[in-house]
Amino acid sequence: MQHLTDSLGDQRINVGLAVSPCNPPTDPTAFHGFPARRGYQITQDFIVEPDGSERNRDYASFMQEWLFFGLILTAVRTDGKPFITCEQLISGDYITTEPLSKALDDWEEYEARNQSGIEYRMIQTEYVLERARQVIRKNCAVRDSKVLYSKDTRYPKYLSDESALSLMTVGEALSAAKKRIMENAKVNISGWHADDDAGWGPPYWVFRRMNSDKRDERWCPRAMYLLKGQLGANATLMLAAYRRCEHSDRMTGSRHDNCVPSDCKVVDRDEHIDHCTGCEKHGPPMHEILRLLRTPVHDLGTEITFLIPLLVFEGPEDHPQLRVEAQQPSKTYAAISHVWSDGWGNEEENKLTLCRLRFIRARIQDASGKDRRDIPFWMDTLVVPVDKTVLSLRKIAIGQITNVFEGSSFTIVLDNGLLSMPTGGKPAEEAMGILPSRWMRRLWTLQEAFLSHKILLAFERRGRNERDMIDFDHLDLELAKGTSSVANAFDRAVRNQLLSQLMGNERADRKHFKRVRRESERGAILVASAWSAARWRTTGNPAHEVLAIATLLGLDYKGTKIEDAGLEEDPNPTFLNELVRDFWITFDEQFRSAIPPGLIFLPGRKIEGFEGFGWAPRTWLSAHEIDYPDPLSTTRFPTSLDKTAGLRVQYPGFLLHTQKRKTILGVDENLGKFTFPIDRGLTEWYSVQPADKNSSSHIEAYLRSESPLAIIISRPRPRTSKHEIGLLVEVYKTTRLKKQNGLGGPASSDTTFFCQVIHRVHIWREMTRQYTVGHGNITQFSSFPEDRSFRNIVCGASPEHDDCLCIGEALEEYQEWYVDGYRNRRSKAFRRSDLDHDNGGSLKTTRSELQMSKRHPTWPTTLKTWQTMKGKINKTFRR
């Protein structure tokens, strides 16, 4: 894997040459037919199996010849021949990718000079790469901690972990190169290229080492879980993260023996650093801080605010003292962002040990410039009062966080893991040290980073004139330089991950405008970006989650429950539900029509006890991988919030018709899989199964209800390559309200469905022959199949099988829904005629009241502007 050296430094892993002689395919026709030439077949599920002929070569040889040599030579080529030879990829008894970087650059240069026919060439390459990816992911990647190949040489499907890893990293490099070429040539043929950017892994080579039998080398289960979630199936990123952190006790070692995937149990209890064995704790004069927090500031008759306390070091280096002063406009000061559990926090008093204070002072001096001045700074541990007798002042101090970080000249990041790592590597290496750090796992640090003008990440201390702090924006610039070359496209993946985890694009926008913009179109992008960055983070107090995110988004939450979130030490479930409800009400008031509709598809528990908010996730810290397609990247139309009916969204879907509800809902608390057609030709069938394992407490209510069932999907016509996310819902009311969607597009559906969510589902189109040949033509009954699904629909189900009948009715692409959580009292008998008339009465809101409560969309009023905004959202999530 020498092709990664340019970005990551030495990633040399010896991969043995398994095939000799080597005669791989070099064009798409030969590539797709190659398995049969070697005595193998690829099943519909992409599993590699012998075809029973005598031609088959051993499994390891075949996989390497086809998916290493063959894939490179077929993809990286002109119309006539490859840019690289088989011999160049062999070094003695091993394979090598050292010449691959130059070949990729030659490929890019050729395509840049020869634009004629590039669309067709890229489509051919796409088919080759996509087939290879599906085969490699199915046969070589880890699934449920297992792989399909054997690591025992005695078994027919023997394959080394190193060989499997090489197939993944090479495939990812080729995919990245092809994507770069298409972007440079501005090739974008809708529907002809995969929209799933997931990697080619994950690799067992990495997970085997993380789960080492040696306790000192075994990784923390929580760190493993988060890395797998953050980096997904990208084998190259997983390899880079492992190599960067494999010797860090933050990730490995026996002290993680009690850790579990949901929680790292290790807390650094040592209050001292820099080999200090014992020193006293010191803090600022709190009476001065409290005095400033009580001192009001009147700004031209607007809302009253209070002075912000800052601290200044003074006195000798070995015994620093802290002086308190008020923040002054345009005066330079620093902010400290840190990992509380690393010993930089103190829940008992506003003090830190002298050794830590000396360390902070030195870092501030390093960052202040050549004169190494003692400039003022702010740190929550020392400034936010912990004394429970002054809770009102604590509330004021917490409310100042936005202004503190927005006004600071720079923010210094303190993370003990980073403080043990040296700088000086390649940009991607340094970034891969930051990505898995604990600082990147805490929620409060996300909003501190987002609000900061300049972020300096402190690494291992070096000499006074040596670089030991990394400027995040400078690192981002260096990574961006690497993306100018196809051969260094890996830098793009690292940069995208870093920006995604720190809301980099939205932070740049905030820095440019010096504020969080309140335009409606920005609101949806902000929420989507914040959810993507927050989902892998944690906070010690669940009430702090809403407070931190509200602060990050710049919401004015005075007068709501959120204002008291920082004071609750052990919040009860009702209070947490109230917090989330107040958050969305406040957000909707300040970012009109901007609640992202994709929120209805997100996993996890929803708000309980408040009608109209059962669509809203109770937590953003779901630690859940992004569903496909990403619900928050497929924003379609503006939304509106009705505090009784729920969130109004526009999505396509299917209305389901069945004789017995257990066809769809299952029995005995098992909500199972079902399949249905959507037209009389019986050529378009979809299968559905629950997306989550948790059973519902409403199963009896589901089965008793006579209200119809439907499925909401995030885009029309789900694909076949990957299961797509959707919602199974119960429609308890409909209205007919003719209206425009406000975007200059077609009128929205004249029937509005009021529904309540049963559960999330995965849906996909069935493409096996029995579901695509069609049997809806009555002249074809002589060849009618034995399959019961077809017979039940065309001829009627027998009494013993009448629970197997289900058909679907495709709804318009812009179907309007009001979505809420499930409430038993809403379920009622439903008639088909209800679709032609209002069937109100099950809600307190009358039709006229509903019309009055609907807020007119205030997002862009022209289709062109709206499409531009959607493009920005999609670009944000094209990671």
Side-chain angles (χ1 to χ4, degrees):
M1 278 150 284
Q2 295 84 352
H3 64 288
L4 300 177
T5 301
D6 288 345
S7 292
L8 289 172
D10 186 8
Q11 295 294 322
R12 193 170 301 142
I13 297 173
N14 290 329
V15 182
L17 177 64
V19 55
S20 182
C22 184
N23 185 25
T26 59
D27 64 75
T29 301
F31 182 87
H32 293 296
F34 192 76
R37 282 179 50 195
R38 290 291 183 258
Y40 286 91
Q41 60 181 342
I42 310 302
T43 70
Q44 187 172 2
D45 294 331
F46 298 102
I47 297 176
V48 177
E49 298 286 1
D51 64 7
S53 68
E54 298 180 357
R55 296 172 296 174
N56 66 304
R57 168 170 265 170
D58 72 84
Y59 185 76
S61 298
F62 164 69
M63 294 292 280
Q64 191 176 87
E65 188 176 22
W66 185 36
L67 298 175
F68 178 78
F69 292 104
L71 183 61
I72 294 174
L73 271 59
T74 301
V76 188
R77 67 187 182 95
T78 66
D79 284 332
K81 64 177 183 178
F83 284 103
I84 195 170
T85 66
C86 190
E87 291 72 23
Q88 289 176 296
L89 296 170
I90 299 174
S91 178
D93 294 330
Y94 301 96
I95 59 174
T96 178
T97 58
E98 188 169 351
L100 182 59
S101 294
K102 182 180 183 305
L104 293 178
D105 285 337
D106 291 342
W107 183 25
E108 177 189 25
E109 184 180 345
Y110 170 82
E111 296 294 356
R113 293 196 319 264
N114 298 272
Q115 296 285 301
S116 177
I118 188 173
E119 294 89 348
Y120 186 60
R121 291 196 298 275
M122 289 299 104
I123 289 174
Q124 286 185 315
T125 305
E126 167 68 19
Y127 278 119
V128 168
L129 290 174
E130 182 60 17
R131 189 181 192 196
R133 185 173 79 111
Q134 295 290 355
V135 171
I136 289 172
R137 290 196 66 181
K138 189 70 173 183
N139 295 272
C140 303
V142 178
R143 292 177 181 269
D144 298 324
S145 303
K146 299 176 183 178
V147 288
L148 293 184
Y149 64 85
S150 172
K151 294 170 286 297
D152 190 328
T153 57
R154 296 172 297 176
Y155 285 83
K157 283 197 173 183
Y158 164 75
L159 188 70
S160 71
D161 292 335
E162 291 76 12
S163 184
L165 177 64
S166 70
L167 301 183
M168 296 174 191
T169 59
V170 164
E172 288 169 356
L174 297 180
S175 291
K178 176 229 170 201
K179 184 175 182 179
R180 176 74 184 184
I181 289 171
M182 290 180 61
E183 289 177 354
N184 288 343
K186 295 180 173 55
V187 175
N188 183 18
I189 308 176
S190 178
W192 281 93
H193 294 274
D195 57 359
D196 175 13
D197 285 340
W200 292 48
Y204 191 74
W205 188 93
V206 171
F207 283 98
R208 177 164 59 87
R209 282 158 176 77
M210 287 182 171
N211 285 301
S212 173
D213 293 333
K214 300 177 181 179
R215 292 176 64 199
D216 290 342
E217 297 178 5
R218 189 182 308 142
W219 276 53
C220 168
R222 176 64 176 172
M224 290 174 57
Y225 179 80
L226 290 177
L227 270 181
K228 185 177 182 296
Q230 289 174 318
L231 306 181
N234 194 300
T236 309
L237 288 175
M238 287 293 297
L239 171 63
Y242 168 76
R243 280 297 181 85
R244 182 62 166 144
C245 303
E246 62 181 317
H247 301 301
S248 170
D249 64 357
R250 302 278 283 190
M251 302 292 179
T252 65
S254 57
R255 67 185 193 139
H256 293 282
D257 286 350
N258 296 323
C259 297
V260 293
S262 60
D263 186 27
C264 176
K265 305 293 185 180
V266 175
V267 176
D268 289 329
R269 301 291 183 184
D270 193 353
E271 298 177 332
H272 303 277
I273 59 172
D274 284 349
H275 309 292
C276 176
T277 57
C279 62
E280 297 179 349
K281 291 181 180 178
H282 285 263
M286 287 306 296
H287 67 279
E288 286 294 316
I289 288 179
L290 299 180
R291 181 182 63 81
L292 292 179
L293 291 173
R294 290 190 183 101
T295 305
V297 178
H298 296 272
D299 185 15
L300 299 178
T302 60
E303 182 181 3
I304 296 176
T305 59
F306 298 87
L307 291 175
I308 296 176
L310 298 179
L311 307 176
V312 183
F313 281 111
E314 56 185 14
E317 296 283 342
D318 61 341
H319 200 85
Q321 302 295 313
L322 290 168
R323 173 170 54 84
V324 180
E325 65 176 45
Q327 179 196 36
Q328 299 295 324
S330 303
K331 185 173 181 180
T332 298
Y333 71 91
I336 306 296
S337 176
H338 59 90
V339 178
W340 192 274
S341 60
D342 276 354
W344 298 104
N346 189 340
E347 296 178 351
E348 304 298 327
E349 54 186 349
N350 295 102
K351 293 182 178 180
L352 286 173
T353 54
L354 274 175
C355 58
R356 288 186 182 270
L357 292 175
R358 286 194 294 265
F359 184 91
I360 293 171
R361 185 181 196 178
R363 287 306 171 106
I364 292 175
Q365 290 175 345
D366 291 343
S368 65
K370 295 181 180 180
D371 55 356
R372 295 180 56 80
R373 293 178 296 133
D374 282 319
I375 65 172
F377 74 100
W378 185 96
M379 184 178 187
D380 56 357
T381 306
L382 301 172
V383 173
V384 178
V386 297
D387 187 348
K388 296 180 180 179
T389 64
V390 289
L391 290 181
S392 62
L393 299 182
R394 174 178 173 83
K395 184 191 297 188
I396 290 173
I398 292 174
Q400 294 175 338
I401 289 177
T402 298
N403 291 333
V404 165
F405 282 90
E406 281 187 335
S408 66
S409 302
F410 55 84
T411 296
I412 297 176
V413 173
L414 301 179
D415 174 292
N416 287 358
L418 296 180
L419 292 174
S420 67
M421 288 185 182
T423 59
K426 296 177 181 292
E429 289 183 85
E430 294 178 335
M432 291 311 300
I434 297 168
L435 274 172
S437 67
R438 279 194 188 174
W439 182 74
M440 294 285 285
R441 300 187 209 168
R442 304 298 294 173
L443 181 60
W444 279 107
T445 59
L446 171 62
Q447 56 105 6
E448 291 165 359
F450 176 75
L451 296 170
S452 297
H453 173 73
K454 183 178 183 179
I455 304 171
L456 300 176
L457 297 112
F459 278 69
E460 185 179 55
R461 194 72 189 273
R462 307 177 76 172
R464 176 163 291 190
N465 295 321
E466 294 187 73
R467 173 174 167 267
D468 53 18
M469 280 197 286
I470 292 178
D471 184 327
F472 173 81
D473 294 314
H474 182 263
L475 177 62
D476 178 50
L477 182 62
E478 290 298 309
L479 289 170
K481 290 179 181 178
T483 63
S484 62
S485 167
V486 169
N488 291 328
F490 175 69
D491 284 356
R492 173 204 297 259
V494 176
R495 179 174 183 258
N496 286 343
Q497 277 291 330
L498 201 58
L499 291 179
S500 173
Q501 298 301 318
L502 287 176
M503 299 178 63
N505 292 331
E506 288 63 50
R507 175 174 169 266
D509 181 86
R510 190 203 61 76
K511 285 177 60 180
H512 177 74
F513 290 95
K514 301 187 184 304
R515 61 184 175 88
V516 175
R517 288 194 284 159
R518 296 299 180 98
E519 292 88 344
S520 297
E521 61 267 31
R522 294 299 308 169
I525 296 173
L526 271 173
V527 170
S529 181
W531 182 84
S532 179
R535 62 200 170 95
W536 299 108
R537 296 173 182 260
T538 60
T539 182
N541 185 327
H544 290 178
E545 175 187 338
V546 175
L547 177 61
I549 294 174
T551 303
L552 184 153
L553 298 180
L555 298 184
D556 180 4
Y557 52 78
K558 288 183 175 60
T560 71
K561 291 284 185 180
I562 302 172
E563 195 174 14
D564 298 325
L567 309 181
E568 294 287 335
E569 293 184 358
D570 187 20
N572 60 56
T574 300
F575 180 72
L576 294 174
N577 283 316
E578 289 176 326
L579 282 177
V580 182
R581 178 203 60 186
D582 284 5
F583 173 87
W584 287 117
I585 291 175
T586 304
F587 180 87
D588 190 54
E589 291 172 348
Q590 298 175 30
F591 289 91
R592 293 298 181 91
S593 304
I595 297 177
L599 288 170
I600 66 174
F601 297 106
L602 296 186
R605 294 179 60 187
K606 310 297 182 181
I607 290 183
E608 298 174 354
F610 295 98
E611 194 170 23
F613 291 88
W615 52 269
R618 233 272 296 266
T619 178
W620 292 29
L621 313 183
S622 62
H624 190 282
E625 294 183 29
I626 293 177
D627 292 296
Y628 177 82
D630 183 353
L632 296 183
S633 70
T634 55
T635 298
R636 302 165 57 80
F637 303 109
T639 57
S640 63
L641 176 62
D642 185 286
K643 298 175 186 177
T644 302
L647 187 67
R648 182 182 68 87
V649 300
Q650 288 179 264
Y651 278 118
F654 302 106
L655 193 62
L656 302 176
H657 303 272
T658 181
Q659 288 184 322
K660 291 189 177 181
R661 293 169 72 87
K662 66 179 181 180
T663 303
I664 298 170
L665 298 175
V667 294
D668 300 328
E669 299 187 1
N670 293 316
L671 305 179
K673 174 186 173 183
F674 62 94
T675 303
F676 62 90
I678 66 164
D679 64 4
R680 67 189 303 273
L682 301 183
T683 57
E684 190 170 344
W685 291 69
Y686 293 90
S687 284
V688 178
Q689 67 182 20
D692 307 304
K693 296 180 180 179
N694 297 333
S695 61
S696 172
S697 59
H698 298 288
I699 186 66
E700 290 299 325
Y702 300 155
L703 293 173
R704 287 196 307 267
S705 172
E706 296 183 24
S707 296
L709 301 174
I711 292 175
I712 306 175
I713 50 180
S714 63
R715 63 182 181 182
R717 297 296 196 267
R719 281 40 165 193
T720 60
S721 60
K722 195 170 184 179
H723 297 181
E724 301 197 7
I725 197 64
L727 287 181
L728 179 63
V729 300
E730 180 182 273
V731 179
Y732 64 88
K733 174 183 174 181
T734 65
T735 59
R736 289 176 61 90
L737 296 171
K738 189 73 174 179
K739 49 196 169 294
Q740 294 290 321
N741 62 26
L743 301 176
S748 63
S749 170
D750 61 352
T751 299
T752 298
F753 289 160
F754 291 74
C755 64
Q756 45 194 18
V757 177
I758 294 178
H759 63 181
R760 301 186 333 132
V761 296
H762 284 141
I763 181 170
W764 65 97
R765 185 172 179 182
E766 290 287 0
M767 292 301 292
T768 54
R769 187 175 183 277
Q770 72 181 86
Y771 290 113
T772 57
V773 293
H775 297 283
N777 188 336
I778 59 174
T779 64
Q780 301 298 317
F781 277 8
S782 60
S783 60
F784 201 68
E786 294 297 322
D787 186 276
R788 185 183 300 150
S789 301
F790 296 97
R791 285 183 173 274
N792 287 344
I793 291 172
V794 177
C795 301
S798 58
E800 63 272 20
H801 295 127
D802 65 349
D803 61 335
C804 299
L805 180 62
C806 180
I807 62 174
E809 177 182 348
L811 301 172
E812 294 173 310
E813 182 177 343
Y814 34 84
Q815 172 65 48
E816 185 174 282
W817 314 77
Y818 274 88
V819 181
D820 195 10
Y822 199 90
R823 300 175 70 87
N824 292 345
R825 66 177 176 80
R826 285 173 169 163
S827 301
K828 61 189 291 292
F830 186 94
R831 302 177 303 277
R832 179 67 190 181
S833 59
D834 291 334
L835 293 179
D836 299 320
H837 305 282
D838 293 337
N839 66 327
S842 61
L843 282 178
K844 297 178 182 178
T845 308
T846 66
R847 180 179 178 182
S848 60
E849 290 171 340
L850 178 64
Q851 288 175 307
M852 292 293 292
S853 71
K854 289 184 179 179
R855 184 177 294 124
H856 292 293
T858 57
W859 280 10
T861 55
T862 67
L863 184 59
K864 182 177 180 180
T865 307
W866 172 243
Q867 289 173 337
T868 300
M869 195 207 75
K870 286 200 295 184
K872 292 179 180 178
I873 295 177
N874 292 332
K875 183 178 180 181
T876 299
F877 286 88
R878 198 174 294 129
R879 307 296 188 199

